[in-house]
Amino acid sequence: MPTLILVRHGRSTANTEGLLAGWTPGVALDERGTAQAAALPGRLDGLPLSEVVSSPLQRCQETIRPLLDARPGLRSHTDERIGECHYGDWSGRKLAELKDEPLMEVVQAHPSAAAFPGGESMRAMQTRAAEAVREWNARVERDHGADAVYLMCSHGDIIKSLVAEALGLHLDLFQRISVEPCSVTAIRYTRLRPFLVRLGDTGDFASLAPREEPPGDEATVGGGAGAP
């Protein structure tokens, strides 16, 4: 079965403003995110990608554009099932404000029970994304062979949930996973089991350095902005 390259979109204006973007329209890459996207073709150089599948949201479409420009023969597809979680009434709100919401404790400690007001549950998010991967795995293998490699450009919570699913982790443990903007995660699927072969690789260790304000013990809903 194929190897899936999961790329989180580059840093967005919502990331730097501390907003939970969700499906809010008009959320673009910021200056750093644009530079991250521009560097992506070089990072993936030599990798024989057979297809590219992207979330329909602008920040993902902008992230893959330099890669598609560098490989004009590479086919690109859009799949809403790997779009961001539908955060409903939380969309567009400040993450700092959402910390005081009672639901945030559930999102952090028991996400399998979390359903966003006016949006979807985290279980539904994981289910649709995993179904999309299974269908694309079959399609890519059929069209390009069992050793094919393809790429999906998606969002932090989506990628974390797919990693958890591949590792056989309960969704309640997925907040222990971190994927920064424009990071590369790779899952090699086989007949018996998936293998996680890369996780959140940015090629940059700046985010591991001590910060003036150390990160807290809560996971950032949506994925966070990455290294300062």
Side-chain angles (χ1 to χ4, degrees), residues 20 22-23 79-87 107 111-116 119-134 154-165 170-175 177 220-223:
L20 184 62
W23 285 69
D79 194 326
E80 292 196 356
R81 294 174 297 176
I82 61 168
E84 181 63 284
C85 185
H86 291 276
Y87 296 117
V107 171
S112 66
F116 296 98
E120 70 179 334
S121 69
M122 301 199 94
R123 291 193 317 276
M125 173 199 75
Q126 183 186 45
T127 297
R128 63 173 165 86
E131 287 178 350
V133 168
R134 283 191 286 272
S154 188
H155 306 265
D157 281 349
I158 294 287
I159 294 173
K160 288 162 55 177
S161 74
L162 289 171
V163 169
E165 199 262 350
H170 197 283
L171 184 60
D172 286 345
L173 301 178
F174 101 126
Q175 297 290 26
I177 299 166
T220 303
V221 182

Side-chain angles (χ1 to χ4, degrees), residues 16-31:
T16 48
E17 292 170 9
L19 301 175
L20 184 62
W23 285 69
T24 304
V27 176
L29 298 183
D30 68 4
E31 184 176 354

Side-chain angles (χ1 to χ4, degrees), residues 98-184:
L98 293 171
K99 286 184 178 180
D100 297 327
E101 294 281 352
L103 178 60
M104 181 59 84
E105 185 177 0
V106 182
V107 171
Q108 292 292 325
H110 192 21
S112 66
F116 296 98
E120 70 179 334
S121 69
M122 301 199 94
R123 291 193 317 276
M125 173 199 75
Q126 183 186 45
T127 297
R128 63 173 165 86
E131 287 178 350
V133 168
R134 283 191 286 272
E135 289 183 18
W136 278 102
N137 280 350
R139 178 172 172 175
V140 168
E141 181 173 2
R142 181 197 67 204
D143 294 345
H144 302 282
D147 295 328
V149 181
Y150 74 107
L151 182 147
M152 281 186 169
C153 185
S154 188
H155 306 265
D157 281 349
I158 294 287
I159 294 173
K160 288 162 55 177
S161 74
L162 289 171
V163 169
E165 199 262 350
L167 292 175
L169 294 178
H170 197 283
L171 184 60
D172 286 345
L173 301 178
F174 101 126
Q175 297 290 26
R176 301 182 183 197
I177 299 166
S178 176
V179 289
E180 292 195 0
C182 223
S183 62
V184 173

